[in-house]
Amino acid sequence: MSQIKLETGAQNTWCPGCGNFAILNSVKAVLKGLAEEGFPLENVVLVTGIGCHAKIVDYINVNSFYSIHGRVTPAAEGIKLANPALKVIGFAGDGDTYGEGLEHLIFAAKRNIDITMIIHNNRVYGLTAGQYTPTSPLGFKGRSTPQGTLELPINPLELMLSAGATFIARGYSGHLDLLKKIIKEAVMHKGFALVDVLQVCVTFFNMYEYYNKKVYELPVPSASGGLSGKDHYPENYDDALKKIREWDYNSDGPIATGIFYRKEQPTFEEHFLKQLGERALPSGGQSSPFLAERAGQVCLAAKIKEVLEKAI
Amino acid sequence: MTEGLSFAGMAELPVVLVVSQRPGPSTGLPTYTAQGDLHFVLNAGQGDFTRLVVAPGDAEESYFWSALALNLAWKYQIPSLILMDKTLSEGTYSFDLTSVPEVKEETPVLWDRKQPYQRYSDTPDGVSPLAFVPDKEAVIKINSYEHDESGITAEDPQKTKQMNDKRLRKGVFLAEELETYPAVGVYGNKESKQALVCWGSNKGVCVEVGVRLGLKVIQPVVLNPFPAAQFKSALKGIEQVICVENNATGQLARLLNTYNFRVDEKILKYDGRAFGLEELEESVHKKILMKAK
């Protein structure tokens, strides 16, 4: 496995200093790690929406689905359902998925489908040269709001927690090591995982200086079990909510990064396959002719057949 | 619907969409019937791309053409649209299965593994062989953005034009293939010099009126790519063309005009209800008499 080539040869057109480089490097490191551990990379599908973030799939030599604005989540869900053996990682912008695609995100969290969503949250529409997004702070002066916005941002992590997401984390493009660690955990999580990455747009909303002052890492309980009283336990819903509410994307509060919340729960595709199996096997455990007939051609049918055979 | 349709056109995703029409605009009469979405379905989605549009006229045709639409969507990797209306899609019918030609499930063009895989390889007929995830030897990149053969985003002028041409070339081969199917139905008195032209669920009532009044009835089932050769041959010897439609402006008539086919009269009903036999017979009778004067 020494010859994992993740580069495509496509010319990178992000601005120098763009926070997207940190996400690209983190994801490549995570994919390399997966391959080295024996996970076949042909089982990975990367999905993007539209925006600067979406170019990431041009720079990674792995199966990809460059979809349309706001539709990263449903495309990722569809791919996962068509073949639950795949690892599906969605990349989306804040405008892309906290704006137009928000309802998809809520429903994916609600049904706990096993996909990972990495949000390139630069809090501005960068590709279209600087308009406000759902996470821009109050008073943000952009191309569409020259006198400043008149509305408060949403706190997407609070929304995701209430919607039922089973893995919620925040990373920062200025802290690469933690970002890699979080993305790895998110990809390995069984269930719906959301990583909100404070990804700085150097050209239209340069927040490096501000984030460098405010961002801190959630203290992880130490292996020795020393209870400092300050450690964060991501299994605890109330603690997660408290930490998520510490900063509302508008106030001047401290900005926690790390894993806020993590919970093991049955996934949507597990329920889906079970129901499909029950319907396809009305009596006596015989596979339906439809599934058998298509198994040779279409991976969906092949996969379902395989799952059904295992289940019998 | 349109963003996904246009995405399917660009990314070359095989997909079949069933559109059942009801009176519009907007909420309109949501539980009634109409044929007001022909031009919407023909043009929905931004940009130029190949699409198949079929409008079956009854249960048999729905059965046959939906199977064919699925095959053709896979074969050409295009969106296929089946245009219905409430009368047809929510009606309950029975028919003799043996009366419908058999449509066998076809295998799409698959990657032969001789060359490194390219999702959008440029081929003589524009169809790029398919591979499916997961495949150890193939990286499969789907893209809604203009792209090169490998699926990587591309913006340069030559590539943009080349890939547009590749996608549209599929339409030329699709049109040729469609001429081998019964894309235009011809019924009634085939010697008549007057023809009722209809589409979709009006087939039944038009054929009945045609038989009663001794008229020819012509029903294009395929609406895009338009089967102009078959339609022209159906019109041979016809002196008066009467278009019968469930919309307010004569949408099929407008489509026919773009292919230089003349429409003399239009009988349009747009009150949310299907044509009744006597009602249509009376309207057609008046149009024939007008011509006779």
Side-chain angles (χ1 to χ4, degrees), chain A residues 261-305:
Chain A
Y261 186 62
R262 174 158 48 193
K263 187 187 181 190
E264 279 285 321
Q265 205 166 284
T267 64
F268 182 74
E269 64 279 6
E270 287 171 345
H271 292 304
F272 177 75
L273 283 173
K274 190 165 169 277
Q275 197 175 63
L276 204 64
E278 283 161 4
R279 285 177 57 187
L281 302 170
S283 62
Q286 282 200 327
S287 185
S288 89
F290 166 75
L291 295 179
E293 194 180 294
R294 292 190 63 90
Q297 289 175 23
V298 182
C299 49
L300 162 66
K303 184 64 210 164
I304 292 168
K305 189 165 174 272

Side-chain angles (χ1 to χ4, degrees), chain A residues 58 60 62-63 71 294, chain B residues 3 105 140-142 144 153:
Chain A
D58 284 340
I60 304 178
V62 167
N63 299 317
R71 312 299 173 216
R294 292 190 63 90
Chain B
E3 63 168 34
E105 187 178 326
I140 300 157
K141 294 186 102 63
I142 308 290
S144 73
T153 305

Side-chain angles (χ1 to χ4, degrees), chain B residues 124-185:
Chain B
D125 61 2
V127 176
S128 313
L130 289 169
F132 296 96
V133 174
D135 189 318
K136 271 191 194 328
E137 296 160 40
V139 171
I140 300 157
K141 294 186 102 63
I142 308 290
N143 204 337
S144 73
Y145 209 120
E146 190 57 271
H147 44 261
D148 64 15
E149 290 88 336
S150 65
I152 301 260
T153 305
E155 292 184 334
D156 80 77
Q158 288 84 5
K159 193 55 75 184
T160 304
K161 181 179 182 305
Q162 178 199 340
M163 297 310 274
N164 255 296
D165 289 342
K166 167 199 141 33
R167 288 188 293 271
L168 291 176
R169 212 178 306 132
K170 299 189 293 184
V172 177
F173 287 85
L174 172 66
E176 270 178 26
E177 178 169 353
L178 283 167
E179 290 288 1
T180 67
Y181 292 103
V184 177

Side-chain angles (χ1 to χ4, degrees), chain A residues 7-283:
Chain A
E7 288 69 36
T8 59
Q11 190 198 351
N12 194 308
T13 56
W14 287 327
C15 303
C18 176
N20 281 328
F21 286 103
I23 300 177
L24 175 63
N25 291 333
S26 300
V27 169
K28 277 161 84 172
V30 169
L31 291 175
K32 240 174 210 146
L34 279 176
E36 280 159 9
E37 286 161 26
F39 187 87
L41 286 188
E42 66 267 20
N43 280 26
V44 174
V45 182
L46 311 177
V47 185
T48 69
I50 295 296
C52 287
H53 79 272
K55 298 175 183 179
I56 197 166
V57 290
D58 284 340
Y59 310 143
I60 304 178
N61 192 36
V62 167
N63 299 317
S64 60
F65 195 88
Y66 196 136
S67 76
I68 45 181
H69 191 70
R71 312 299 173 216
V72 183
T73 316
E77 288 181 274
I79 292 164
K80 184 69 186 179
L81 280 186
N83 185 350
L86 300 177
K87 245 189 208 320
V88 184
I89 307 171
F91 299 88
D94 48 318
D96 196 33
T97 207
Y98 297 153
E100 181 153 7
L102 186 62
E103 84 281 21
H104 300 303
L105 198 65
I106 290 171
F107 276 86
K110 172 181 174 288
R111 51 175 77 109
N112 193 35
I113 186 163
D114 183 15
I115 59 173
T116 304
M117 291 294 292
I118 296 170
I119 315 303
H120 300 225
N121 188 358
N122 54 18
R123 307 167 71 199
V124 68
Y125 285 95
L127 194 69
T128 54
Q131 296 80 16
Y132 82 103
T133 74
T135 49
S136 303
L138 178 68
F140 176 83
K141 286 183 180 172
R143 292 269 169 101
S144 59
T145 51
Q147 296 179 69
T149 62
L150 304 172
E151 56 197 279
L152 285 164
I154 59 165
N155 182 341
L157 301 188
E158 193 177 345
L159 184 66
M160 283 294 95
L161 187 68
S162 63
T166 55
F167 183 103
I168 299 169
R170 183 190 289 133
Y172 167 42
S173 60
H175 294 164
L176 194 61
D177 286 341
L178 180 62
L179 185 60
K180 272 186 212 165
K181 219 162 79 185
I182 293 170
I183 291 178
K184 174 87 196 265
E185 297 272 325
V187 169
M188 297 316 292
H189 175 72
K190 187 172 79 73
F192 181 84
L194 182 122
V195 183
D196 184 73
V197 184
L198 297 174
Q199 169 260 318
V200 175
C201 174
V202 286
T203 307
F204 296 106
F205 197 24
N206 192 340
M207 296 286 281
Y208 274 122
E209 212 174 303
Y210 183 83
Y211 287 154
N212 284 341
K213 270 189 275 178
K214 296 287 178 183
V215 165
Y216 76 98
E217 185 178 344
L218 283 169
V220 183
S222 60
S224 57
L227 289 171
S228 67
K230 286 178 183 165
D231 290 345
H232 179 68
Y233 291 88
E235 292 73 23
N236 187 311
Y237 185 97
D238 292 335
D239 286 357
L241 183 60
K242 206 171 141 195
K243 281 293 173 192
I244 282 172
R245 280 184 168 168
E246 210 172 56
W247 180 58
D248 61 4
Y249 289 70
N250 194 60
S251 69
D252 222 15
I255 303 174
T257 53
I259 299 165
F260 289 91
Y261 186 62
R262 174 158 48 193
K263 187 187 181 190
E264 279 285 321
Q265 205 166 284
T267 64
F268 182 74
E269 64 279 6
E270 287 171 345
H271 292 304
F272 177 75
L273 283 173
K274 190 165 169 277
Q275 197 175 63
L276 204 64
E278 283 161 4
R279 285 177 57 187
L281 302 170
S283 62

Side-chain angles (χ1 to χ4, degrees), chain B residues 209-278:
Chain B
V209 168
V211 169
R212 282 193 185 193
L213 298 178
L215 308 171
K216 193 176 197 177
V217 178
I218 304 171
Q219 173 224 0
V221 180
V222 177
L223 297 167
N224 193 72
F226 193 75
Q230 284 187 45
F231 194 78
K232 195 175 172 187
S233 116
L235 276 184
K236 210 168 259 175
I238 295 296
E239 289 169 7
Q240 188 189 21
V241 173
I242 304 166
C243 225
V244 179
E245 304 187 56
N246 281 124
N247 58 59
T249 56
Q251 297 198 5
L252 178 64
R254 177 144 56 104
L255 180 67
L256 294 176
N257 287 339
T258 65
Y259 291 96
N260 273 334
F261 294 116
R262 195 191 71 233
V263 172
D264 303 291
E265 297 288 347
K266 289 184 271 192
I267 297 175
L268 306 175
K269 185 171 160 82
Y270 42 94
D271 55 5
R273 277 77 178 169
F275 281 102
L277 181 62
E278 283 75 20

